[in-house]
Amino acid sequence: MDPSVSALDQGHAAALAPLALALLSRVPSASEDEQLRRAADALRQELAGDTVTYVVNRNLNVSNHCIKHCSFCAFRRDAGEPGAYWLSEAELEQRAAEAQAAGATELCIQGGLNPAATVDGSQLAYAEGLLRLLQAAAPGIHLHAFSPQELLYMAQHDGLPLDRVLERLRAAGLASVPGTAAEVLSERVRRVLCPEKLTAREWVAVMLQVQHQGLPATSTLMAGHIEAPADLVAHLLTLVAVQRHAWQHHCQGFTEFVLLPFVGASAPAALRARVCRDQPDRTQMLRLTAQARILLGPWFRFHQPSWVKLTLAGATEALRWGCNDLGGTLMEEHITTMAGASGGTRQSPQALEAAARHLGRPVRRRTTLYGACP
């Protein structure tokens, strides 16, 4: 939590905002693109310094069984359908222990909304058991788990207040929350992308509860599909408003911002046809990376690209457009890979460090909450 945002930082970001906003609504010239890049890179240096960070972590996408039918998702399956899976307790224990033995300090745990994932009819009890299982298999590891959609589903399924759900998950080992399921915080867009998912208002409400419980969270934006410039601006300004609320109430708030470019290679046919692009438009996403750095201003120090979606080369280039962090090693990744991404499923610490050094930047391994690793 940064309890103060200097007037200098606020003024610098505010002065750059008109440029970022203007270039959201039209294709810039090469000189304008370079001006935008330089502005975002300078703001990155001012707010986060030159050091590139990364975390050694492992993704655990527990199951792809899901009751929702999002138009962009190539990951979800019905139970028994080809490609459906649900990792057993033994598999989860093994993967957690392997991750810690390989130096991981974090497990990132997400999956589909699996209606069968219950203990005595309770989704929350299953989630508590999962956290305790992983904590026992990898003692002391940071458990970064359960998107706002998953948290709300647990509360609604079990008929419990969300704050009670969060209290019990914290007691079971939950340490922070991934800010996925945000997609674009625009109801116009969500009616097409994910009409069955929680609303933008519900996503914000869950995050406010997460903050009040003292849990840190990440924030995301999935872009490069059917959104308009106004939707992007509304999303980014909503994140700023939620962050301001957190800091005003002396909460950690969002630790970072992650841009997630849309990958359509294996997406459902209707949306794929509408977007007419299988892989992200790198130029467009780098431009948006810079615009996000400027519009989020001093409220978000740490910005991260997605090497899974952009490839490591694209993510390395994003370090010149406002990003300061390369994310995690992941060790395995299923959600984006099943959508047809070409970035791979794992990176070694050596590869991430080499990417930073290629740009002449210092690099260090971090914890989930951006502390220094021992």
Side-chain angles (χ1 to χ4, degrees):
M1 176 173 56
D2 186 346
S4 63
V5 176
S6 74
L8 174 63
D9 287 343
Q10 290 191 70
H12 188 176
L16 294 172
L19 170 66
L21 288 168
L23 299 185
L24 273 169
S25 57
R26 62 178 173 82
V27 177
S29 65
S31 62
E32 287 174 325
D33 252 350
E34 179 59 14
Q35 183 185 2
L36 180 70
R37 187 199 68 75
R38 287 177 179 273
D41 196 45
L43 188 57
R44 181 271 309 157
Q45 199 282 331
E46 180 181 342
L47 293 173
D50 286 327
T51 299
V52 175
T53 52
Y54 72 95
V55 64
V56 179
N57 66 348
R58 183 169 197 162
N59 266 2
L60 289 176
N61 302 130
V62 178
S63 172
N64 63 353
H65 299 186
C66 191
I67 61 170
K68 303 293 184 183
H69 301 81
C70 298
S71 70
F72 62 88
C73 184
F75 175 70
R76 59 97 44 216
R77 297 288 190 277
D78 292 320
E81 183 181 354
Y85 76 89
W86 184 359
L87 297 178
S88 68
E89 289 189 357
E91 289 172 311
L92 290 165
E93 286 176 319
Q94 179 184 353
R95 294 182 190 202
E98 286 175 350
Q100 190 168 54
T105 56
E106 173 197 299
L107 294 175
C108 180
I109 306 139
Q110 296 183 93
L113 302 183
N114 182 356
T118 62
V119 172
D120 296 328
S122 168
Q123 286 272 328
L124 177 57
Y126 175 84
E128 288 174 311
L130 176 62
L131 293 173
R132 293 190 177 107
L133 176 85
L134 296 171
Q135 202 170 51
I141 205 160
H142 184 108
L143 299 180
H144 180 63
F146 308 131
S147 72
Q149 177 67 81
E150 291 171 276
L151 294 170
L152 185 61
Y153 180 59
M154 289 178 211
Q156 292 174 338
H157 182 278
D158 287 15
L160 292 171
L162 182 60
D163 59 353
R164 179 60 180 149
V165 169
L166 291 168
E167 287 171 4
R168 285 176 51 179
L169 290 174
R170 283 195 72 186
L174 179 65
S176 61
V177 172
T180 47
E183 323 313 354
V184 181
L185 296 173
S186 160
E187 297 306 342
R188 182 193 72 82
V189 175
R190 297 177 83 80
R191 281 194 292 271
V192 177
L193 282 187
C194 49
E196 299 175 16
K197 219 166 203 172
L198 80 175
T199 65
R201 183 182 294 272
E202 287 171 331
W203 189 92
V204 169
V206 172
M207 277 303 185
L208 292 174
Q209 289 274 18
V210 166
Q211 291 175 356
H212 287 188
Q213 285 288 333
L215 285 163
T218 58
S219 65
T220 64
L221 164 64
M222 187 179 78
H225 41 84
I226 63 168
E227 80 281 359
D231 300 312
L232 297 173
V233 173
H235 182 105
L236 295 172
L237 295 184
T238 297
L239 295 182
V240 169
V242 176
Q243 187 78 315
R244 288 175 64 108
H245 181 274
W247 289 4
Q248 287 166 357
H249 290 81
H250 308 287
C251 299
Q252 166 87 48
F254 295 122
T255 55
E256 66 200 39
F257 170 75
V258 188
L259 178 61
L260 301 173
F262 171 74
V263 176
S266 299
L271 185 63
R272 185 182 179 195
R274 187 166 177 174
V275 175
C276 299
R277 186 188 308 112
D278 285 349
Q279 298 297 328
D281 180 327
R282 182 181 293 187
T283 299
Q284 180 188 39
M285 290 299 104
L286 290 172
R287 188 178 300 135
L288 183 55
T289 295
Q291 290 160 334
R293 168 60 85 177
I294 291 168
L295 293 175
L296 292 175
W299 302 100
F300 287 76
R301 284 182 64 197
F302 305 123
H303 286 234
Q304 177 190 129
S306 171
W307 56 257
V308 176
K309 298 172 185 292
L310 279 179
T311 72
L312 184 55
T316 303
E317 179 63 13
L319 295 174
R320 301 178 63 247
W321 290 74
C323 286
N324 64 287
D325 184 79
L326 279 172
T329 55
L330 300 189
M331 299 190 188
E332 60 178 286
E333 198 287 326
H334 299 292
I335 295 174
T336 302
T337 303
M338 290 175 72
S342 58
T345 62
R346 63 189 302 144
Q347 293 291 344
S348 66
Q350 293 78 15
L352 296 177
E353 291 180 8
R357 292 191 179 113
H358 177 73
L359 299 179
R361 301 263 290 274
V363 61
R364 70 172 175 86
R365 189 178 298 191
R366 63 169 173 88
T367 66
T368 303
L369 303 184
Y370 287 82
C373 283

